[in-house]
Amino acid sequence: MAVQVLNGVAPQWSDHVGDDVPIHAGAPWIKATSHRLTRTRLTFLATEDGQNGGLQAAVVDDPATDEMINLYRMLLAEPKVFKFPAASVAARGGLRTQVAPIEGWLPNLVVLYPGFDSFVAASGGPTPALAGALVDAAASWAAEHAMKAISFPYMRTDAMPPQVLADRGFRAIPLTFRSRLPLGGSFADYLSSLSKNGRSQVTKERRRLAEAGIRTKRCSFDDMWPDMLALRRDLVERYGQKADEDLETRNMRQLLTCFGEDQVRLYCSFLDGRVVGFTLFVVWRDSWYSAYTGTYVTPQTGSVYFDHVFYAPIADAIAEGARIIDLGIGAWEGKRRRGCDLTPVDLWVRALDPVTEQAIGVAASVMRREDGW
């Protein structure tokens, strides 16, 4: 079976993989995010036993690439975004002296979609044979183009049979959890699904927010762009990165354009007339996906995040027939306490030269799954 390897995000992607795919492989998301990741994007397309499928990938060749897709930074640098256990992070300084510097890990191939998700896209889900063929094709391309490694970061344990990667020499390294909130028939059903402690926490939290004068509501976009950008700038800078307002504007406007206003939901929290938090959801089939968020962290806004991420959107999502609110990776403990199901997310990686193999082995020895908060 031949596999097509195409430069960039192939225009025939959606026709090939179909519509019954997770949001990050769907046509609107792929179009909205075609400029993200790195300057070198690749598309892999295959057909096996009549089923079509595909992968999206990117070449990482710049040491400054963000830690979220930079193998060396993810495993060995001082994390800016990830909240790995303190003991695991403390060991990294000594380990860096034992391995090649960051330049020695480049270039490498990362197989993922913007949005921190890795899977084989195929309508209805891929067969093991189709998944294996695409993994083989990506690994072959990486070896032929002198990549130092190939990785599938953000692989959910329910996304593909682990044996498909394990049988091909990939090793799993724990990263974090993905949080998804199952929805019942009403907000009362949501509350009743929580533990006694969780229900008490949510009730008290909502009461404190109301007493503090916090109000959260669904908003239109045109009036909220300056506030959304200011909150995004605050979030990015809090994680030690440089905010790029032009890029943030482009990213959010692309999302709005590609999904259309009827598939986008914006919730903003107000205090004394000022926007202090927001979440931008996109709707895909029976799920709402949290695409962008931002919250000012002050004593007065301590629980605001959960109002615009959880409490305000839940009733509307249920009323519109949604079954899941997907809240992505990170901050998983707070999401778990408020009803989310957690799915482990791992980095699957295979070195393609002995030096990188030794380095990955050293780094993996102290890696532990991200702490919750």
Side-chain angles (χ1 to χ4, degrees):
M1 176 202 65
V3 177
Q4 290 180 276
V5 184
L6 305 166
N7 291 325
V9 177
Q12 65 266 46
W13 169 264
S14 297
D15 290 337
H16 185 83
V17 304
D19 292 328
D20 187 13
V21 293
I23 183 173
H24 293 137
W29 186 269
I30 290 293
K31 185 176 180 181
T33 61
S34 62
H35 61 289
R36 298 197 209 171
L37 297 179
T38 72
R39 59 189 176 187
T40 304
R41 291 277 298 270
L42 296 170
T43 299
F44 295 84
L45 301 176
T47 302
E48 176 74 23
D49 294 332
Q51 186 185 37
N52 293 338
L55 290 171
Q56 293 286 323
V59 173
V60 176
D61 56 7
D62 181 355
T65 299
D66 183 83
E67 76 179 64
M68 303 300 285
I69 60 170
N70 186 320
L71 196 57
Y72 178 94
R73 293 186 183 279
M74 186 182 292
L75 295 177
L76 283 172
E78 295 297 317
K80 294 182 178 180
V81 178
F82 284 112
K83 307 294 185 184
F84 294 121
S88 175
V89 174
R92 292 184 172 197
L95 296 183
R96 288 194 292 269
T97 67
Q98 303 175 35
V99 304
I102 191 169
E103 291 79 8
W105 296 53
L106 303 174
N108 62 72
L109 185 69
V110 290
V111 184
L112 82 165
Y113 304 84
F116 312 119
D117 219 350
S118 298
F119 55 87
V120 171
S123 277
T127 63
L130 176 61
L134 282 159
V135 172
D136 287 339
S140 295
W141 186 95
E144 291 165 6
H145 291 79
M147 300 290 110
K148 300 296 179 66
I150 173 174
S151 63
F152 288 72
Y154 311 107
M155 178 69 74
R156 301 190 319 273
T157 55
D158 63 351
M160 188 165 68
Q163 213 58 36
V164 171
L165 292 166
D167 286 348
R168 289 163 172 81
F170 287 80
R171 74 162 79 198
I173 298 175
L175 277 187
T176 185
F177 291 96
R178 190 174 196 91
S179 302
R180 288 176 284 195
L181 180 70
L183 298 175
S186 67
F187 193 85
D189 287 344
Y190 162 69
L191 288 176
S192 67
S193 72
L194 302 176
S195 68
K196 181 179 179 180
N197 288 341
R199 196 158 48 247
S200 174
Q201 179 182 20
V202 169
T203 301
K204 291 176 181 176
E205 213 161 49
R206 296 179 73 209
R207 184 170 60 246
R208 285 196 301 268
L209 288 166
E211 291 171 350
I214 301 291
R215 298 291 182 269
T216 300
K217 62 181 181 179
R218 184 170 163 182
C219 298
S220 64
F221 303 93
D222 292 340
D223 300 331
M224 297 299 155
W225 281 110
D227 298 291
M228 292 165 66
L229 288 172
L231 283 157
R232 288 296 299 174
R233 182 173 62 246
D234 175 76
L235 177 67
V236 170
E237 291 175 350
R238 232 186 305 136
Y239 280 107
Q241 301 175 358
K242 184 178 180 180
D244 185 335
E245 280 200 15
D246 290 340
L247 181 61
E248 292 288 344
T249 299
R250 179 186 180 190
N251 287 345
M252 287 192 283
R253 286 202 177 277
Q254 279 278 89
L255 207 66
L256 180 59
T257 298
C258 294
F259 278 88
E261 289 197 28
D262 60 330
Q263 286 184 271
V264 182
R265 309 285 183 268
L266 173 65
Y267 288 82
C268 296
S269 296
F270 295 82
L271 175 61
D272 297 331
R274 179 191 181 211
V275 178
V276 293
F278 84 95
T279 300
L280 178 65
F281 296 92
V282 288
V283 179
W284 183 249
R285 302 189 177 281
D286 62 357
S287 297
W288 285 25
Y289 174 75
S290 172
Y292 285 96
T293 192
T295 311
Y296 291 129
V297 179
T298 71
Q300 294 78 26
T301 59
S303 300
V304 166
Y305 171 83
F306 296 108
D307 208 32
H308 57 75
V309 171
F310 279 83
Y311 311 142
I314 283 176
D316 289 349
I318 291 170
E320 292 187 14
R323 297 176 59 192
I324 297 287
I325 295 180
D326 188 334
L327 298 176
I329 62 171
W332 57 264
E333 179 57 29
K335 297 171 183 175
R336 182 194 65 78
R337 291 199 303 268
R338 291 163 180 83
C340 282
D341 294 333
L342 302 181
T343 305
V345 172
D346 297 328
L347 161 70
W348 285 83
V349 60
R350 175 176 149 192
L352 298 175
D353 72 16
V355 173
T356 311
E357 173 67 31
Q358 180 266 344
I360 290 172
V362 167
S365 67
V366 301
M367 276 290 291
R368 300 294 182 270
R369 200 171 300 280
E370 186 180 31
D371 283 338
W373 74 96

